[in-house]
Amino acid sequence: MPTPDSSSPQVVEGLEGVVAAYSRICFVDGVQGRMLYEGYDIHDLAAHASFEEVAYLLWHGELPTRVQLDALNRELLGARALPEPAMAIIKGMPKDALPMDVLRTAVSVLGVYDPDARDNTRPSNVRKSVRLTAQIATVVAAIDRARNGRPPVPPDAGLGHAANFLYMLRGERPDPVATHALDVALILHADHELNASTFSARVTAATLADMHSAITSAIGTLKGPLHGGANEAVMRMLLKIGDVSNAVPTIKQMLANKEKIMGFGHRVYKTEDPRATHLRRMSEELCRRTGQLKWYEMSREIEKYMLAEKHLHCNVDFYSATCYYALGIPIDLFTPVFAVSRITGWSAHVLEQFADNRLIRPRAEYVGPRNLTYVPIDRRG
Ligand code: COA
């Protein structure tokens, strides 16, 4: 890109460090490695809360009472089944379609069938947030079943959100260790301030478009390997490496080739990502119990090397890859599983945007030519 002259306004590429909104949903301190949802430390929530409590916290700004949580659980249960036309579209997709593409399409379709479709008030948008949280889990499980030629597994009203997702995916009830691991992973991924997909959701919402449009935008943004797609890329890299003894030599070669190592680096964190602390521990536990500790060991080798050589810490996607792999989740569902959680943060940000809205419309510094004269098509060389 040409360098603008000194009279040009300063362009902040990638909007790094730009503060674009007031928000009380998620606090991130990239220097101290601290992260809060609505004032509660992520470590405290990961240790004690359930994903459903965290969802309520993000939408309402306070932890639910028992009565409020029971009501939310009933609403989530009631919203798990998809409208038949949405399920038909999932079933009709090509078997080799990317799950993120099908998820993005399904959420857009769900907007058409939403009972509150034309209502953009807060009560309606809170209902849409709950509904989408329940439905996205069903969509992701149904995508995997459909492409394998299997019928969707109807939701089990006796299971919480994390356990029911694993049940709908695999067709058997998960054990408590798997359920707890996924529940914690969902808590850790629920929100992260103005990350790219959330910003995308807020830009769409700021035009006063509807919740489903904002979430569809967010899913499209999450897909990229520099954002949510990194967890899939991490697992593919580990599988290619294959063995612990190959880990460091492969990474060295990749760095020498100027390749980025997926799952490392972060726009905000310059120290350990507090979410990675939990995911590392969970990865060890889950890989050990499946007799596949080598994926964890390989990750540790890479992590130590990247820190020593590049001063880069791993991010949320690095250890979530091996956690999901050990949970038996297919690799191309890792990013959709991110969405199963992040829908709560996205929708909370949409609610916050609507509550005090201003169109988000930055400027670009024009660096193209000026004063060109139109040449009729037949005279163009
Ligand atoms: N592997 C190797 N080098 C990396 C790296 C990685 N994963 N992440 C950053 N770097 C290096 C860059 O090459 C660059 O070096 P340079 O200054 O010598 O050119 C420097 O660190 C800054 O990186 P940059 O890409 O400009 O930072 P950013 O803030 O724009 O991007 C990420 C942040 C997350 C997109 C970036 O770290 C990345 O691409 N990571 C891999 C993808 C990933 O894991 N994404 C999930 C994020 S949660």
Side-chain angles (χ1 to χ4, degrees):
M1 189 59 63
T3 319
D5 64 45
S6 56
S7 63
S8 309
Q10 199 200 352
V11 174
V12 183
E13 285 194 16
L15 300 183
E16 178 163 7
V18 171
V19 178
Y22 290 102
S23 179
R24 51 165 299 144
I25 300 170
C26 181
F27 170 76
V28 178
D29 181 337
V31 177
Q32 301 294 325
R34 194 153 183 245
M35 182 183 154
L36 313 173
Y37 291 155
E38 298 280 355
Y40 294 93
D41 197 292
I42 192 67
H43 296 308
D44 203 10
L45 294 171
H48 303 295
S50 66
F51 174 65
E52 289 87 334
E53 278 180 283
V54 167
Y56 187 99
L57 173 67
L58 296 176
W59 294 325
H60 298 281
E62 56 189 15
L63 286 168
T65 61
R66 167 64 55 202
V67 172
Q68 288 164 331
L69 184 61
D70 288 347
L72 172 61
N73 284 333
R74 279 195 300 277
E75 275 184 75
L76 285 166
L77 284 184
R80 281 176 177 171
L82 303 183
E84 196 38 54
M87 187 60 95
I89 283 172
I90 294 170
K91 288 180 182 166
M93 286 279 169
K95 299 269 181 272
D96 60 352
L98 287 178
M100 277 303 275
D101 293 344
V102 184
L103 173 62
R104 188 193 58 227
T105 305
V107 167
S108 187
V109 169
L110 286 169
V112 176
Y113 293 97
D114 194 277
D116 291 309
R118 301 286 166 95
D119 183 350
N120 219 13
T121 59
R122 181 177 160 95
S124 152
N125 281 321
V126 172
R127 288 195 294 275
K128 289 180 194 175
S129 305
V130 175
R131 228 174 262 140
L132 275 166
T133 299
Q135 290 169 331
I136 284 180
T138 307
V139 168
V140 174
I143 290 170
D144 194 58
R145 306 281 303 178
R147 67 178 171 169
N148 288 306
R150 292 185 293 181
V153 176
D156 183 334
L159 298 176
H161 195 71
N164 179 60
F165 171 69
L166 288 173
Y167 171 68
M168 290 189 297
L169 186 64
R170 304 161 166 174
E172 54 192 50
R173 284 171 161 239
D175 64 32
V177 175
T179 299
H180 180 64
L182 184 65
D183 197 56
V184 173
L186 296 181
I187 291 171
L188 297 173
H189 285 82
D191 194 50
H192 207 235
E193 200 222 44
L194 277 199
N195 60 89
S197 55
T198 301
F199 186 57
S200 181
R202 286 189 81 132
V203 169
T204 303
T207 68
L208 297 183
D210 63 297
M211 174 70 77
H212 287 78
S213 297
I215 302 306
T216 305
S217 299
I219 293 172
T221 309
L222 186 72
K223 179 183 170 190
L226 296 189
H227 188 14
N231 54 12
E232 298 183 12
V234 168
M235 199 61 227
R236 293 205 169 87
M237 176 180 77
L238 294 177
L239 288 167
K240 215 163 112 192
I241 292 172
D243 191 76
V244 182
S245 63
N246 266 342
V248 169
T250 309
I251 297 298
K252 263 188 199 168
Q253 191 55 54
M254 288 174 75
L255 290 173
N257 298 344
K258 304 263 175 255
E259 287 176 57
K260 275 194 165 175
I261 311 303
M262 293 294 127
F264 286 87
H266 198 274
R267 179 58 71 74
V268 181
Y269 290 117
K270 302 305 164 205
T271 184
E272 167 123 336
D273 179 332
R275 300 166 298 176
T277 314
H278 293 272
L279 291 161
R280 183 189 296 109
R281 183 185 42 72
M282 286 157 56
S283 165
E284 182 175 11
E285 182 188 0
L286 294 170
C287 289
R288 192 184 297 282
R289 76 195 284 264
T290 50
Q292 300 241 309
L293 195 61
K294 75 169 185 177
W295 303 119
Y296 166 76
E297 290 172 339
M298 213 183 278
S299 306
R300 273 300 276 161
E301 290 294 306
I302 297 171
E303 186 190 7
K304 285 188 221 158
Y305 184 80
M306 287 295 285
L307 194 54
E309 293 298 316
K310 296 285 290 181
H311 309 292
L312 284 173
H313 292 268
C314 64
N315 56 47
V316 70
D317 293 304
F318 190 61
Y319 282 105
S320 61
T322 40
C323 286
Y324 296 157
Y325 193 70
L327 284 173
I329 297 172
I331 296 172
D332 60 1
L333 286 196
F334 289 6
T335 313
V337 169
F338 196 148
V340 167
S341 162
R342 188 56 62 84
I343 174 57
T344 54
W346 289 331
S347 50
H349 278 269
V350 172
L351 294 170
E352 189 175 58
Q353 185 67 38
F354 284 149
D356 184 19
N357 187 57
R358 185 142 196 248
L359 181 76
I360 300 172
R361 200 297 190 193
R363 294 295 314 273
E365 173 64 5
Y366 180 70
V367 292
R370 301 175 193 222
N371 306 321
L372 299 182
T373 304
Y374 179 82
V375 180
I377 194 160
D378 294 334
R379 281 198 242 139
R380 287 175 217 158

PDB file of all heavy atoms in Angstrom, residues 52-75:
ATOM      1  N   GLU A  52     -24.784 -22.228  31.068  1.00  0.00           N
ATOM      2  CA  GLU A  52     -26.091 -21.558  31.053  1.00  0.00           C
ATOM      3  C   GLU A  52     -26.099 -20.328  31.975  1.00  0.00           C
ATOM      4  O   GLU A  52     -26.674 -19.291  31.636  1.00  0.00           O
ATOM      5  CB  GLU A  52     -27.208 -22.536  31.480  1.00  0.00           C
ATOM      6  CG  GLU A  52     -27.526 -23.616  30.445  1.00  0.00           C
ATOM      7  CD  GLU A  52     -26.660 -24.879  30.558  1.00  0.00           C
ATOM      8  OE1 GLU A  52     -25.518 -24.793  31.070  1.00  0.00           O
ATOM      9  OE2 GLU A  52     -27.129 -25.953  30.129  1.00  0.00           O
ATOM     10  N   GLU A  53     -25.420 -20.447  33.136  1.00  0.00           N
ATOM     11  CA  GLU A  53     -25.335 -19.281  34.033  1.00  0.00           C
ATOM     12  C   GLU A  53     -24.561 -18.146  33.371  1.00  0.00           C
ATOM     13  O   GLU A  53     -24.910 -16.973  33.510  1.00  0.00           O
ATOM     14  CB  GLU A  53     -24.571 -19.662  35.306  1.00  0.00           C
ATOM     15  CG  GLU A  53     -25.384 -20.356  36.369  1.00  0.00           C
ATOM     16  CD  GLU A  53     -24.479 -20.657  37.567  1.00  0.00           C
ATOM     17  OE1 GLU A  53     -23.684 -21.610  37.483  1.00  0.00           O
ATOM     18  OE2 GLU A  53     -24.568 -19.931  38.559  1.00  0.00           O
ATOM     19  N   VAL A  54     -23.477 -18.521  32.673  1.00  0.00           N
ATOM     20  CA  VAL A  54     -22.657 -17.507  32.006  1.00  0.00           C
ATOM     21  C   VAL A  54     -23.461 -16.829  30.886  1.00  0.00           C
ATOM     22  O   VAL A  54     -23.395 -15.615  30.707  1.00  0.00           O
ATOM     23  CB  VAL A  54     -21.343 -18.137  31.476  1.00  0.00           C
ATOM     24  CG1 VAL A  54     -20.616 -17.209  30.518  1.00  0.00           C
ATOM     25  CG2 VAL A  54     -20.438 -18.496  32.653  1.00  0.00           C
ATOM     26  N   ALA A  55     -24.233 -17.614  30.163  1.00  0.00           N
ATOM     27  CA  ALA A  55     -25.071 -17.033  29.101  1.00  0.00           C
ATOM     28  C   ALA A  55     -26.016 -15.988  29.709  1.00  0.00           C
ATOM     29  O   ALA A  55     -26.142 -14.869  29.197  1.00  0.00           O
ATOM     30  CB  ALA A  55     -25.873 -18.138  28.400  1.00  0.00           C
ATOM     31  N   TYR A  56     -26.661 -16.349  30.821  1.00  0.00           N
ATOM     32  CA  TYR A  56     -27.574 -15.411  31.484  1.00  0.00           C
ATOM     33  C   TYR A  56     -26.812 -14.147  31.905  1.00  0.00           C
ATOM     34  O   TYR A  56     -27.278 -13.023  31.711  1.00  0.00           O
ATOM     35  CB  TYR A  56     -28.214 -16.090  32.707  1.00  0.00           C
ATOM     36  CG  TYR A  56     -29.298 -15.247  33.344  1.00  0.00           C
ATOM     37  CD1 TYR A  56     -30.643 -15.479  33.085  1.00  0.00           C
ATOM     38  CD2 TYR A  56     -28.966 -14.198  34.209  1.00  0.00           C
ATOM     39  CE1 TYR A  56     -31.633 -14.694  33.643  1.00  0.00           C
ATOM     40  CE2 TYR A  56     -29.954 -13.400  34.767  1.00  0.00           C
ATOM     41  CZ  TYR A  56     -31.282 -13.656  34.491  1.00  0.00           C
ATOM     42  OH  TYR A  56     -32.264 -12.863  35.050  1.00  0.00           O
ATOM     43  N   LEU A  57     -25.615 -14.371  32.463  1.00  0.00           N
ATOM     44  CA  LEU A  57     -24.782 -13.241  32.918  1.00  0.00           C
ATOM     45  C   LEU A  57     -24.494 -12.279  31.761  1.00  0.00           C
ATOM     46  O   LEU A  57     -24.595 -11.057  31.909  1.00  0.00           O
ATOM     47  CB  LEU A  57     -23.473 -13.806  33.494  1.00  0.00           C
ATOM     48  CG  LEU A  57     -22.391 -12.809  33.881  1.00  0.00           C
ATOM     49  CD1 LEU A  57     -22.840 -11.952  35.065  1.00  0.00           C
ATOM     50  CD2 LEU A  57     -21.082 -13.534  34.248  1.00  0.00           C
ATOM     51  N   LEU A  58     -24.138 -12.820  30.612  1.00  0.00           N
ATOM     52  CA  LEU A  58     -23.779 -11.965  29.470  1.00  0.00           C
ATOM     53  C   LEU A  58     -24.999 -11.194  28.958  1.00  0.00           C
ATOM     54  O   LEU A  58     -24.900 -10.034  28.570  1.00  0.00           O
ATOM     55  CB  LEU A  58     -23.185 -12.808  28.337  1.00  0.00           C
ATOM     56  CG  LEU A  58     -21.854 -13.509  28.648  1.00  0.00           C
ATOM     57  CD1 LEU A  58     -21.431 -14.396  27.481  1.00  0.00           C
ATOM     58  CD2 LEU A  58     -20.750 -12.517  28.973  1.00  0.00           C
ATOM     59  N   TRP A  59     -26.162 -11.835  28.970  1.00  0.00           N
ATOM     60  CA  TRP A  59     -27.352 -11.171  28.430  1.00  0.00           C
ATOM     61  C   TRP A  59     -27.958 -10.162  29.406  1.00  0.00           C
ATOM     62  O   TRP A  59     -28.505  -9.158  28.989  1.00  0.00           O
ATOM     63  CB  TRP A  59     -28.438 -12.204  28.066  1.00  0.00           C
ATOM     64  CG  TRP A  59     -28.058 -13.112  26.939  1.00  0.00           C
ATOM     65  CD1 TRP A  59     -27.309 -12.786  25.847  1.00  0.00           C
ATOM     66  CD2 TRP A  59     -28.396 -14.496  26.794  1.00  0.00           C
ATOM     67  NE1 TRP A  59     -27.168 -13.883  25.041  1.00  0.00           N
ATOM     68  CE2 TRP A  59     -27.822 -14.949  25.579  1.00  0.00           C
ATOM     69  CE3 TRP A  59     -29.125 -15.415  27.546  1.00  0.00           C
ATOM     70  CZ2 TRP A  59     -27.953 -16.254  25.113  1.00  0.00           C
ATOM     71  CZ3 TRP A  59     -29.258 -16.719  27.090  1.00  0.00           C
ATOM     72  CH2 TRP A  59     -28.681 -17.129  25.882  1.00  0.00           C
ATOM     73  N   HIS A  60     -27.843 -10.478  30.716  1.00  0.00           N
ATOM     74  CA  HIS A  60     -28.555  -9.646  31.708  1.00  0.00           C
ATOM     75  C   HIS A  60     -27.629  -8.852  32.611  1.00  0.00           C
ATOM     76  O   HIS A  60     -28.102  -8.036  33.402  1.00  0.00           O
ATOM     77  CB  HIS A  60     -29.482 -10.523  32.556  1.00  0.00           C
ATOM     78  CG  HIS A  60     -30.545 -11.205  31.752  1.00  0.00           C
ATOM     79  ND1 HIS A  60     -31.684 -10.551  31.342  1.00  0.00           N
ATOM     80  CD2 HIS A  60     -30.622 -12.459  31.246  1.00  0.00           C
ATOM     81  CE1 HIS A  60     -32.425 -11.393  30.624  1.00  0.00           C
ATOM     82  NE2 HIS A  60     -31.802 -12.560  30.555  1.00  0.00           N
ATOM     83  N   GLY A  61     -26.337  -9.106  32.562  1.00  0.00           N
ATOM     84  CA  GLY A  61     -25.396  -8.319  33.356  1.00  0.00           C
ATOM     85  C   GLY A  61     -25.281  -8.765  34.798  1.00  0.00           C
ATOM     86  O   GLY A  61     -24.551  -8.147  35.584  1.00  0.00           O
ATOM     87  N   GLU A  62     -26.002  -9.794  35.180  1.00  0.00           N
ATOM     88  CA  GLU A  62     -25.858 -10.334  36.540  1.00  0.00           C
ATOM     89  C   GLU A  62     -26.106 -11.831  36.521  1.00  0.00           C
ATOM     90  O   GLU A  62     -26.791 -12.348  35.634  1.00  0.00           O
ATOM     91  CB  GLU A  62     -26.799  -9.637  37.515  1.00  0.00           C
ATOM     92  CG  GLU A  62     -28.250  -9.703  37.091  1.00  0.00           C
ATOM     93  CD  GLU A  62     -29.164  -8.833  37.937  1.00  0.00           C
ATOM     94  OE1 GLU A  62     -28.667  -7.969  38.662  1.00  0.00           O
ATOM     95  OE2 GLU A  62     -30.384  -9.061  37.863  1.00  0.00           O
ATOM     96  N   LEU A  63     -25.532 -12.508  37.519  1.00  0.00           N
ATOM     97  CA  LEU A  63     -25.741 -13.956  37.605  1.00  0.00           C
ATOM     98  C   LEU A  63     -27.203 -14.245  37.936  1.00  0.00           C
ATOM     99  O   LEU A  63     -27.831 -13.478  38.682  1.00  0.00           O
ATOM    100  CB  LEU A  63     -24.825 -14.555  38.677  1.00  0.00           C
ATOM    101  CG  LEU A  63     -23.340 -14.659  38.295  1.00  0.00           C
ATOM    102  CD1 LEU A  63     -22.489 -14.986  39.525  1.00  0.00           C
ATOM    103  CD2 LEU A  63     -23.121 -15.713  37.196  1.00  0.00           C
ATOM    104  N   PRO A  64     -27.764 -15.328  37.411  1.00  0.00           N
ATOM    105  CA  PRO A  64     -29.169 -15.620  37.673  1.00  0.00           C
ATOM    106  C   PRO A  64     -29.402 -16.169  39.079  1.00  0.00           C
ATOM    107  O   PRO A  64     -28.517 -16.799  39.655  1.00  0.00           O
ATOM    108  CB  PRO A  64     -29.493 -16.695  36.636  1.00  0.00           C
ATOM    109  CG  PRO A  64     -28.186 -17.403  36.407  1.00  0.00           C
ATOM    110  CD  PRO A  64     -27.115 -16.353  36.560  1.00  0.00           C
ATOM    111  N   THR A  65     -30.585 -15.914  39.598  1.00  0.00           N
ATOM    112  CA  THR A  65     -31.024 -16.629  40.800  1.00  0.00           C
ATOM    113  C   THR A  65     -31.401 -18.044  40.350  1.00  0.00           C
ATOM    114  O   THR A  65     -31.508 -18.319  39.140  1.00  0.00           O
ATOM    115  CB  THR A  65     -32.269 -15.965  41.416  1.00  0.00           C
ATOM    116  OG1 THR A  65     -33.318 -16.029  40.422  1.00  0.00           O
ATOM    117  CG2 THR A  65     -32.004 -14.512  41.791  1.00  0.00           C
ATOM    118  N   ARG A  66     -31.674 -18.912  41.299  1.00  0.00           N
ATOM    119  CA  ARG A  66     -32.095 -20.282  40.950  1.00  0.00           C
ATOM    120  C   ARG A  66     -33.355 -20.242  40.078  1.00  0.00           C
ATOM    121  O   ARG A  66     -33.457 -20.949  39.073  1.00  0.00           O
ATOM    122  CB  ARG A  66     -32.333 -21.064  42.260  1.00  0.00           C
ATOM    123  CG  ARG A  66     -33.037 -22.370  42.140  1.00  0.00           C
ATOM    124  CD  ARG A  66     -32.322 -23.447  41.361  1.00  0.00           C
ATOM    125  NE  ARG A  66     -30.978 -23.735  41.845  1.00  0.00           N
ATOM    126  CZ  ARG A  66     -30.035 -24.316  41.096  1.00  0.00           C
ATOM    127  NH1 ARG A  66     -30.273 -24.622  39.819  1.00  0.00           N
ATOM    128  NH2 ARG A  66     -28.845 -24.581  41.582  1.00  0.00           N
ATOM    129  N   VAL A  67     -34.306 -19.366  40.449  1.00  0.00           N
ATOM    130  CA  VAL A  67     -35.569 -19.283  39.689  1.00  0.00           C
ATOM    131  C   VAL A  67     -35.295 -18.810  38.262  1.00  0.00           C
ATOM    132  O   VAL A  67     -35.844 -19.349  37.287  1.00  0.00           O
ATOM    133  CB  VAL A  67     -36.548 -18.313  40.412  1.00  0.00           C
ATOM    134  CG1 VAL A  67     -37.789 -18.037  39.568  1.00  0.00           C
ATOM    135  CG2 VAL A  67     -36.942 -18.885  41.778  1.00  0.00           C
ATOM    136  N   GLN A  68     -34.422 -17.803  38.136  1.00  0.00           N
ATOM    137  CA  GLN A  68     -34.108 -17.270  36.801  1.00  0.00           C
ATOM    138  C   GLN A  68     -33.383 -18.318  35.943  1.00  0.00           C
ATOM    139  O   GLN A  68     -33.640 -18.448  34.744  1.00  0.00           O
ATOM    140  CB  GLN A  68     -33.250 -16.005  36.925  1.00  0.00           C
ATOM    141  CG  GLN A  68     -34.046 -14.815  37.453  1.00  0.00           C
ATOM    142  CD  GLN A  68     -33.159 -13.682  37.934  1.00  0.00           C
ATOM    143  OE1 GLN A  68     -32.030 -13.897  38.382  1.00  0.00           O
ATOM    144  NE2 GLN A  68     -33.680 -12.466  37.876  1.00  0.00           N
ATOM    145  N   LEU A  69     -32.482 -19.063  36.589  1.00  0.00           N
ATOM    146  CA  LEU A  69     -31.745 -20.083  35.830  1.00  0.00           C
ATOM    147  C   LEU A  69     -32.684 -21.205  35.387  1.00  0.00           C
ATOM    148  O   LEU A  69     -32.603 -21.684  34.246  1.00  0.00           O
ATOM    149  CB  LEU A  69     -30.591 -20.644  36.676  1.00  0.00           C
ATOM    150  CG  LEU A  69     -29.703 -21.652  35.947  1.00  0.00           C
ATOM    151  CD1 LEU A  69     -29.020 -21.029  34.726  1.00  0.00           C
ATOM    152  CD2 LEU A  69     -28.640 -22.220  36.897  1.00  0.00           C
ATOM    153  N   ASP A  70     -33.595 -21.585  36.272  1.00  0.00           N
ATOM    154  CA  ASP A  70     -34.560 -22.630  35.899  1.00  0.00           C
ATOM    155  C   ASP A  70     -35.395 -22.173  34.701  1.00  0.00           C
ATOM    156  O   ASP A  70     -35.677 -22.948  33.784  1.00  0.00           O
ATOM    157  CB  ASP A  70     -35.483 -22.974  37.079  1.00  0.00           C
ATOM    158  CG  ASP A  70     -34.735 -23.750  38.168  1.00  0.00           C
ATOM    159  OD1 ASP A  70     -33.604 -24.217  37.888  1.00  0.00           O
ATOM    160  OD2 ASP A  70     -35.264 -23.870  39.292  1.00  0.00           O
ATOM    161  N   ALA A  71     -35.797 -20.905  34.741  1.00  0.00           N
ATOM    162  CA  ALA A  71     -36.618 -20.374  33.630  1.00  0.00           C
ATOM    163  C   ALA A  71     -35.812 -20.385  32.337  1.00  0.00           C
ATOM    164  O   ALA A  71     -36.321 -20.777  31.272  1.00  0.00           O
ATOM    165  CB  ALA A  71     -37.087 -18.959  33.964  1.00  0.00           C
ATOM    166  N   LEU A  72     -34.537 -19.974  32.418  1.00  0.00           N
ATOM    167  CA  LEU A  72     -33.701 -19.977  31.211  1.00  0.00           C
ATOM    168  C   LEU A  72     -33.541 -21.399  30.683  1.00  0.00           C
ATOM    169  O   LEU A  72     -33.655 -21.645  29.466  1.00  0.00           O
ATOM    170  CB  LEU A  72     -32.323 -19.364  31.505  1.00  0.00           C
ATOM    171  CG  LEU A  72     -31.298 -19.496  30.367  1.00  0.00           C
ATOM    172  CD1 LEU A  72     -31.777 -18.788  29.098  1.00  0.00           C
ATOM    173  CD2 LEU A  72     -29.938 -18.925  30.792  1.00  0.00           C
ATOM    174  N   ASN A  73     -33.296 -22.341  31.586  1.00  0.00           N
ATOM    175  CA  ASN A  73     -33.127 -23.731  31.147  1.00  0.00           C
ATOM    176  C   ASN A  73     -34.380 -24.245  30.438  1.00  0.00           C
ATOM    177  O   ASN A  73     -34.290 -24.948  29.430  1.00  0.00           O
ATOM    178  CB  ASN A  73     -32.776 -24.633  32.335  1.00  0.00           C
ATOM    179  CG  ASN A  73     -31.319 -24.451  32.747  1.00  0.00           C
ATOM    180  OD1 ASN A  73     -30.483 -24.086  31.933  1.00  0.00           O
ATOM    181  ND2 ASN A  73     -31.012 -24.687  34.017  1.00  0.00           N
ATOM    182  N   ARG A  74     -35.545 -23.852  30.971  1.00  0.00           N
ATOM    183  CA  ARG A  74     -36.794 -24.281  30.312  1.00  0.00           C
ATOM    184  C   ARG A  74     -36.898 -23.679  28.907  1.00  0.00           C
ATOM    185  O   ARG A  74     -37.275 -24.343  27.952  1.00  0.00           O
ATOM    186  CB  ARG A  74     -38.009 -23.870  31.151  1.00  0.00           C
ATOM    187  CG  ARG A  74     -38.316 -24.821  32.305  1.00  0.00           C
ATOM    188  CD  ARG A  74     -39.715 -24.570  32.866  1.00  0.00           C
ATOM    189  NE  ARG A  74     -39.884 -23.213  33.370  1.00  0.00           N
ATOM    190  CZ  ARG A  74     -39.502 -22.801  34.592  1.00  0.00           C
ATOM    191  NH1 ARG A  74     -38.949 -23.650  35.443  1.00  0.00           N
ATOM    192  NH2 ARG A  74     -39.702 -21.565  34.970  1.00  0.00           N
ATOM    193  N   GLU A  75     -36.515 -22.395  28.806  1.00  0.00           N
ATOM    194  CA  GLU A  75     -36.568 -21.734  27.485  1.00  0.00           C
ATOM    195  C   GLU A  75     -35.610 -22.400  26.502  1.00  0.00           C
ATOM    196  O   GLU A  75     -35.937 -22.614  25.331  1.00  0.00           O
ATOM    197  CB  GLU A  75     -36.155 -20.269  27.605  1.00  0.00           C
ATOM    198  CG  GLU A  75     -37.259 -19.326  28.002  1.00  0.00           C
ATOM    199  CD  GLU A  75     -36.727 -17.892  27.986  1.00  0.00           C
ATOM    200  OE1 GLU A  75     -36.548 -17.339  26.896  1.00  0.00           O
ATOM    201  OE2 GLU A  75     -36.457 -17.355  29.077  1.00  0.00           O
TER     202      GLU A  75
END
